Structures are given as structure tokens and as C-alpha cells.
Amino acid sequence: MDTTKLVTMANQIAGFFAAQRGDAAADTADHIAKNWDPRMRAGLADHLAAGGAGLDPVARRAAEILAA
């Protein structure tokens, strides 16, 4: 999958959870872990390792949680 699409999707998910109660980064990470294909998660991890350009702060933190 295209990295630009992964970033867009992660940012959209993060935006949704940022508007909810709770820990937006943890909720975003949980959603990605449960719903994204392993190849998509790997692509996000690779993108984060390359600097994570374009990820908003919540999406970046979620990617960090998933990478840990």
C-alpha cells in the first residue's frame, strides 16, 4: 500500500479518536492493530522509522506504541 495513503488513514483515525474521550494515541494504536493488515502496519512502522513525515502527533504516537 502507498505510504501516503497509510499516513492519511492513520491521521484520519487519530483525528476521530482525538475528538473522543480517552487516550487518543492508545485508541488509535488499538484500532490499527485490530483492523489493519500486517503489511499495512509494517508500512506504517517503516515510515515511522524513516522519520514519519506527515503523521500528526496522535498518529505518530500511535505508530510509536505499535512499534514498541
Side-chain angles (χ1 to χ4, degrees), residues 7-68:
V7 169
T8 298
M9 291 169 58
N11 287 343
Q12 288 173 336
I13 295 164
F16 171 80
F17 285 112
Q20 308 298 312
R21 289 186 174 200
D23 183 339
D27 292 340
T28 300
D30 183 58
H31 178 87
I32 290 171
K34 289 179 179 176
N35 295 289
W36 282 23
D37 179 276
R39 293 169 294 172
M40 294 168 69
R41 293 192 307 268
L44 182 62
D46 291 345
H47 181 67
L48 178 66
L55 289 171
D56 74 27
V58 173
R60 176 181 293 276
R61 180 66 190 125
E64 291 168 349
I65 291 168
L66 291 167

